[in-house]
Amino acid sequence: MHKNSVKSITRGAASAAICAALALGTAGIASAHDGQHSDKNARTSHHESTSHHSESRTDNDEVGGIVTALGTNSITIQHHNATPVAYTTTSATTYRLGTTPTTVAALAVGENIDVVLSSTTPTMVTAVDVDLANVEGHVTAISGNTITLGSGSDTRTVTVSSSTTFVLGGVASTFGAIVVGSHIEARGVAMSSSVLDAMSVKIEPVRLHTHAAGIVTALGTNSITIQHHNATPVAYTTTSATTYRLGTTPTTVAVLAVGENIDVVLSSTTPPMVTAVDVDLANVEGHVTAISGNTITLGSGSDTRTVTVGTATTYTLGHVASALSAVVVGSHIEARGVATSSTALTATSVKINVGDHDDK
């Protein structure tokens, strides 16, 4: 178990950064236990071992620090920036990982440990406690058994194994329950200021969005792409079970067109999948300034609107069913239907106002 001295010193220097980085996170972890999450994506916090042997203790029989080297019967520890000190272990030395009894195999360069020394032989170790740390944040990537939290300079990695336990909503779970976007709290051994080997992982479920709304920017065989305001367009998946409504009227997928405003209901278990689509209806009204085929023009100049009618469009004149022929230049109409742009509407119904003809 002898380590290359250059490598050990390098790890020791990197590990020395753990103390400051982890200690700074202590307040954050306290808030995490209160259900509050930091604005940061990922956060690590050092915890003292349950024997409460602080690294700042100066008792002759207790010392703590970072493991910088391991030998067959020795542990070298660096306390802050002091010179590393080698201590001797024996077959009688005991080991604990947090509160769990373990073996010498649990030791590794980079770990925070507390050791109890023999009262008669100051350099001989009678007990070793491996300190545990917490890291928490939102999952940004999963690769094999490595979970990445945060991004950029705030990135942390959590390594899991077959012995790692998982809890989701207070119930035993599995590694498979973790997805990108999950918020997790992992507890285990900090191997550096940004790497933790997890013994346990608490998973908070992703807060799923079940509704979306915006402008249709593209249509595929089984997809709808929607843009909400100026955000990046998002593609959603439709199935044969997806339902459609035009206002309050059930309809089919054929009613969809690029430029329409729609609201979609998403599957609670598969967020990108659409269970229902509501095509929003809009109103436009004004005085008719031109009629050409099935297109009615309202207003003029910068205030021009166009209303397109079809065989399915209904007309009322004085609350009585009517027809397109009743619409003449000068009529005032109120059209309701699907807005395909800010100035164009495909009408499902047209109300013709009696007695409101003028020279406008």
Side-chain angles (χ1 to χ4, degrees):
M1 243 165 89
H2 292 290
K3 307 291 182 180
N4 180 284
S5 60
V6 175
K7 181 179 179 181
S8 297
I9 291 171
T10 302
R11 282 296 298 271
S15 300
I18 302 173
C19 301
L22 299 184
L24 287 173
T26 305
I29 291 301
S31 66
H33 291 306
D34 291 333
Q36 302 296 321
H37 302 310
S38 166
D39 289 335
K40 291 186 176 180
N41 289 325
R43 185 175 56 218
T44 308
S45 174
H46 174 269
H47 279 249
E48 295 178 1
S49 67
T50 52
S51 59
H52 304 294
H53 301 317
S54 168
E55 292 183 21
S56 62
R57 291 288 295 270
T58 57
D59 294 354
N60 292 333
D61 61 343
E62 298 176 2
V63 294
I66 304 294
V67 176
T68 60
L70 291 167
T72 304
N73 290 296
S74 69
I75 307 171
T76 301
I77 303 174
Q78 182 175 30
H79 177 65
H80 294 315
N81 294 320
T83 301
V85 178
Y87 297 92
T88 303
T89 58
T90 69
S91 58
T93 302
T94 60
Y95 302 85
R96 290 196 308 178
L97 189 60
T99 60
T100 305
T102 187
T103 67
V104 65
L107 296 184
V109 171
E111 292 177 348
N112 278 276
I113 67 171
D114 295 293
V115 300
V116 179
L117 303 174
S118 167
S119 59
T120 56
T121 310
T123 58
M124 185 174 292
V125 178
T126 61
V128 179
D129 285 343
V130 180
D131 298 342
L132 298 184
N134 281 4
V135 62
E136 68 168 318
H138 286 89
V139 177
T140 52
I142 301 172
S143 177
N145 67 336
T146 300
I147 304 166
T148 302
L149 307 181
S151 60
S153 61
D154 197 35
T155 300
R156 304 287 188 273
T157 57
V158 175
T159 303
V160 299
S161 67
S162 58
S163 61
T164 305
T165 59
F166 302 87
V167 175
L168 173 63
V171 179
S173 187
T174 64
F175 180 43
I178 301 174
V179 297
V180 172
S182 298
H183 184 279
I184 68 169
E185 296 180 26
R187 182 167 174 78
V189 180
M191 302 308 301
S192 75
S193 60
S194 61
V195 179
L196 180 136
D197 286 336
M199 296 172 59
S200 63
V201 177
K202 179 182 176 183
I203 311 163
E204 293 184 12
V206 178
R207 292 181 176 86
L208 300 176
H209 296 289
T210 56
H211 290 81
I215 304 292
V216 177
T217 60
L219 291 167
T221 304
N222 291 296
S223 69
I224 307 171
T225 302
I226 303 173
Q227 182 174 29
H228 180 65
H229 295 311
N230 293 321
T232 302
V234 177
Y236 297 93
T237 303
T238 57
T239 69
S240 58
T242 302
T243 61
Y244 302 85
R245 289 194 310 176
L246 186 60
T248 59
T249 306
T251 186
T252 67
V253 64
V255 76
L256 295 184
V258 171
E260 292 176 349
N261 278 278
I262 65 171
D263 296 288
V264 299
V265 179
L266 304 174
S267 167
S268 59
T269 55
T270 311
M273 187 173 292
V274 178
T275 60
V277 178
D278 285 342
V279 180
D280 299 340
L281 296 184
N283 286 355
V284 63
E285 65 175 291
H287 288 87
V288 178
T289 53
I291 302 173
S292 176
N294 65 340
T295 301
I296 304 169
T297 302
L298 307 181
S300 60
S302 61
D303 195 35
T304 299
R305 302 287 188 273
T306 58
V307 176
T308 302
V309 297
T311 56
T313 305
T314 60
Y315 304 85
T316 56
L317 174 62
H319 304 292
V320 177
S322 186
L324 174 60
S325 58
V327 180
V328 297
V329 172
S331 298
H332 182 278
I333 67 169
E334 297 177 30
R336 181 170 175 78
V338 179
T340 54
S341 76
S342 60
T343 59
L345 180 139
T346 300
T348 58
S349 63
V350 175
K351 178 181 178 183
I352 309 164
N353 296 321
V354 178
D356 203 3
H357 301 177
D358 54 34
D359 294 331
K360 290 183 182 180

